[in-house]
Amino acid sequence: VDAPCEDGWFLRRLHGGFTCVIFDPGIGPIDLARHLPVDLEIVRLAPQERLATPGTCLLFRPDQHLLGRWRKFDALKVRNAILHCIAGGVPP
């Protein structure tokens, strides 16, 4: 299900690769993508009641299915979920 964002529709923010959406525009730089064997886009959005509470982190697969959801961003959990998805690696 899609939802409106400040600049259009939510699912249009997902560009075909793994996407980590963090509902906290104030979070600092994230050096996670270079430690993965796949492309990862990180999208920061302002918290919106319709989608998530402040700090929520959503991880989407390239086919736009939700891979993981956490109440706050945790780079290790995001990394492990992606590795589990692509190669049966470490469980999330």
Side-chain angles (χ1 to χ4, degrees):
V1 175
D2 208 353
C5 287
E6 62 272 355
D7 62 346
W9 289 93
F10 180 69
L11 290 179
R12 291 185 186 217
R13 300 294 300 263
L14 308 180
H15 300 290
F18 285 92
T19 305
C20 182
V21 180
I22 303 169
F23 289 88
D24 183 355
I27 197 167
I30 298 170
D31 188 23
L32 174 63
R34 73 180 180 145
H35 300 290
L36 292 169
V38 296
D39 290 334
L40 173 66
E41 180 177 4
I42 296 175
V43 175
R44 291 177 181 88
L45 294 175
Q48 297 180 10
E49 288 181 23
R50 187 165 183 183
L51 295 176
T53 58
T56 297
C57 174
L58 304 175
L59 179 61
F60 290 89
R61 300 184 322 204
D63 60 3
Q64 297 185 341
H65 282 88
L66 185 63
L67 175 58
R69 181 182 191 282
W70 300 275
R71 293 195 186 274
K72 66 176 188 158
F73 174 76
D74 182 319
L76 184 60
K77 288 181 180 179
V78 170
R79 178 185 173 276
N80 287 346
I82 292 171
L83 293 177
H84 180 73
C85 182
I86 63 173
V90 180

